[in-house]
């Protein structure tokens, strides 16, 4: 299971230092074992699964439902991945740190022997996907890229202040060219305009054709489509088209800003629907305008289904060492410390070579000593 969405409650605050030390320690030992046993590609793959990510989050003691878990977990893994020889790296972050992906990709490219420009394009298209093609009311404020030589994942998060919720998105390079990228979705169903859904494929193709006809043509068709909205009610007052569409279509108006955005996209000369993820000028308003024209004039609409398919189980995997906020019980420091020792036995039973086994045990021993000293 790879790719998907998880909804979280919008929380503030910070992790106390004494708990953060344990979370870092648990993260290090768990990922150490995974890299030894399965390799870095498997770690990156599992981070693309929203359910596995939540289980990992709970195992190290973060709250099951906190919006801060995304930044904390990936912040820890970012720090460790650049310090250790795990052969995968975490880029980006929260707020202004999201913008560091481009420069960090340069260094990551040298370490992992991958093309920095491809990493940046992957990052950019992922952000575009969940801010413009999928419009679900959440504004992105967290963006991480996790890279190994063979597998890439983007984990990003949006905020809905009105609903007091955050939504985490997991996207993997294996889903490119973004065929049904939002699978395995767990959360609270809301409203959305989704131009990335499989049913919106024709609408996306028409959007590319419209862009290549030039801004003037699009603006003319937009006026026709807007006029058509007035005739979309039956005598009973019901809308002929999906009522959910009206929320996204009625605010769309011809403007100089929209025309300039369409001009930028036209100059890019997109040739396929995937180009909508990288062409300049393709923001939420542009997508809504193109969707309105495609829907009312050509008969092909985006999806208006929020890509949430199953409820979130709040307590799955939440009983390992407790939670920072005391749910399902207060963080158990002694148990967290003991986990390091228990992991030694797991390493002994792992099917790895004696040399690798000895190295893993040595690292775990040093880590256990550091945790006992509180360093």
């Amino acid at each position: 299971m790879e790719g998907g969405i998880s909804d979280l409650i919008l929380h503030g605050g910070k992790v106390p230092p004494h708990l953060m030390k344990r979370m870092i320690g648990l993260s290090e030992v768990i990922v150490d074992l995974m890299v030894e046993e399965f390799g870095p590609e498997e770690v990156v793959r599992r981070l693309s699964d929203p359910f596995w990510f939540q289980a990992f989050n709970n195992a190290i003691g973060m709250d099951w439902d906190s919006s801060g878990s995304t930044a904390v977990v990936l912040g820890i893994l970012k720090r460790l991945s650049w310090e250790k020889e795990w052969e995968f790296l975490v880029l980006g972050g929260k707020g202004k740190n999201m913008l560091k992906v481009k420069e960090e990709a340069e260094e990551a490219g040298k370490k992992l022997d991958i093309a920095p420009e491809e990493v940046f394009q992957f990052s950019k298209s992922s952000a575009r996907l969940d801010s413009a093609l999928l419009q679900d009311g959440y504004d992105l404020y967290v963006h991480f890229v996790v890279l190994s030589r063979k597998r890439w994942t983007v984990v990003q998060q949006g905020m809905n202040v009105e609903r007091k919720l955050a939504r985490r998105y997991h996207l993997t390079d294996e889903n490119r060219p973004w065929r049904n990228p939002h699978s395995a979705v767990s959360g609270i169903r809301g409203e959305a305009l989704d131009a990335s859904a499989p049913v919106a494929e024709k609408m996306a193709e028409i959007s590319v054709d419209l862009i290549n006809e030039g801004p003037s043509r699009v603006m003319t068709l937009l006026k026709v489509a807007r006029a058509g909205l007035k005739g979309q009610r039956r005598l009973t007052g019901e809308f002929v088209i999906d009522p959910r569409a009206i929320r996204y279509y009625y605010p769309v108006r011809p403007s100089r800003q929209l025309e300039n955005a369409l001009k930028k996209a036209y100059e890019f000369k997109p040739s396929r629907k995937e180009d909508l993820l990288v062409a300049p000028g393709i923001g939420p308003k542009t997508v809504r305008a193109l969707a309105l024209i495609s829907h009312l004039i050509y008969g092909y609409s985006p999806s208006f289904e929020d890509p949430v398919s199953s409820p979130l189980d709040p307590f799955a995997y939440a009983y390992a060492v407790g939670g920072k906020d005391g749910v399902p019980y207060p963080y158990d420091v002694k148990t967290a410390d003991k986990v390091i020792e228990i992991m030694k036995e797991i390493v002994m039973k792992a099917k790895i070579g004696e040399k690798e086994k000895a190295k893993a045990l040595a690292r775990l021993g040093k880590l256990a000593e550091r945790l006992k000293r509180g360093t």
Side-chain angles (χ1 to χ4, degrees):
M1 195 184 318
E2 297 170 355
I5 295 174
S6 287
D7 282 345
L8 304 162
I9 296 175
L10 206 53
H11 280 181
K14 294 183 179 180
V15 179
H18 71 287
L19 296 187
M20 178 60 79
K21 290 177 183 178
R22 269 76 185 188
M23 290 179 185
I24 292 172
L26 289 168
S27 298
E28 183 174 1
V29 71
I30 291 170
V31 177
D32 252 339
L33 288 168
M34 290 181 63
V35 171
E36 291 281 2
E37 182 71 4
F38 306 112
E41 279 75 28
E42 180 63 13
V43 178
V44 178
R45 186 191 73 80
R46 294 193 187 188
L47 288 170
S48 72
D49 181 342
F51 300 108
W52 188 91
F53 188 100
Q54 195 66 32
F56 181 86
N57 166 81
N58 292 349
I60 68 171
M62 272 301 292
D63 310 314
W64 67 268
D65 64 344
S66 172
S67 61
S69 62
T70 306
V72 170
V73 169
L74 288 169
I76 289 172
L77 293 181
K78 179 176 182 178
R79 169 181 164 180
L80 292 172
S81 71
W82 286 89
E83 292 175 354
K84 301 176 67 67
E85 296 181 0
W86 280 342
E87 296 188 26
F88 77 85
L89 295 169
V90 181
L91 287 57
K94 179 181 178 180
K96 293 181 179 179
N97 289 324
M98 293 191 298
L99 304 177
K100 293 183 178 181
V101 170
K102 190 170 186 178
E103 61 182 80
E104 290 173 346
E106 294 290 337
E107 188 62 27
K110 296 174 185 176
K111 286 180 174 287
L112 299 175
D113 191 28
I114 54 180
E117 60 274 10
E118 291 186 20
V119 174
F120 181 64
Q121 286 289 71
F122 175 61
S123 167
K124 181 180 178 181
S125 60
S126 299
R128 174 76 61 80
L129 186 75
D130 286 327
S131 62
L133 271 72
L134 173 62
Q135 299 181 37
D136 54 5
Y138 293 80
D139 298 324
L140 294 185
Y141 70 104
V142 172
H143 179 83
F144 286 93
V145 183
V146 189
L147 305 167
S148 66
R149 288 186 176 88
K150 298 180 181 179
R151 195 183 289 266
W152 303 354
T153 286
V154 162
V155 181
Q156 50 198 4
Q157 188 161 289
M159 180 191 305
N160 187 315
V161 178
E162 291 182 2
R163 301 185 70 189
K164 296 183 179 179
L165 288 174
R167 176 169 284 194
R168 187 172 62 234
Y169 308 86
H170 298 248
L171 302 164
T172 171
D173 64 313
E174 289 194 343
N175 279 353
R176 285 189 292 178
W178 309 122
R179 302 276 303 185
N180 193 23
H182 301 112
S183 57
V185 181
S186 178
I188 302 169
R189 187 178 298 278
E191 294 182 335
L193 181 153
D194 188 0
S196 69
V199 297
E201 184 173 355
K202 191 65 179 178
M203 171 252 148
E205 292 173 353
I206 288 174
S207 296
V208 172
D209 293 338
L210 288 169
I211 290 170
N212 285 315
E213 289 184 22
S216 297
R217 174 63 173 166
V218 176
M219 299 298 278
T220 298
L221 291 175
L222 179 58
K223 292 176 183 177
V224 174
R226 278 178 50 80
L229 278 176
K230 298 177 181 178
Q232 291 299 320
R233 286 184 183 272
R234 296 187 176 92
L235 293 177
T236 57
E238 298 173 341
F239 282 104
V240 176
I241 62 174
D242 192 324
R244 293 172 296 181
I246 302 303
R247 177 174 179 268
Y248 295 95
Y249 288 166
Y250 260 124
V252 178
R253 299 175 182 276
S255 67
R256 181 61 59 86
Q257 182 185 27
L258 177 59
E259 190 171 8
N260 289 338
L262 289 166
K263 183 178 180 182
K264 292 178 181 178
Y266 171 74
E267 291 171 349
F268 183 85
K269 300 296 182 186
S271 60
R272 54 180 189 154
K273 65 181 186 298
E274 289 77 25
D275 290 339
L276 297 174
L277 294 170
V278 294
I282 307 297
K285 291 181 180 178
T286 307
V287 170
R288 290 200 298 271
L290 295 170
L292 172 57
I293 295 169
S294 176
H295 193 166
L296 263 67
I297 296 180
Y298 297 98
Y300 295 100
S301 74
S303 169
F304 294 100
E305 295 291 337
D306 189 335
V308 168
S309 57
S310 61
L312 185 66
D313 181 356
F315 295 112
Y317 305 104
Y319 297 93
V321 293
K324 176 176 68 68
D325 286 354
V327 179
Y329 52 80
Y331 198 102
D332 188 341
V333 173
K334 290 184 178 180
T335 297
D337 291 343
K338 286 181 180 179
V339 167
I340 306 300
E341 295 298 326
I342 294 172
M343 286 293 190
K344 289 183 179 181
E345 297 180 15
I346 296 175
V347 175
M348 291 296 293
K349 295 176 182 179
K351 296 180 180 179
I352 57 177
E354 293 299 322
K355 183 177 179 180
E356 289 77 10
K357 189 186 303 181
K359 288 181 180 178
L361 286 170
R363 287 197 299 274
L364 288 171
K366 291 178 181 178
L367 181 58
E369 289 301 316
R370 290 208 309 271
L371 284 174
K372 287 177 182 177
R373 295 195 303 267
T375 60

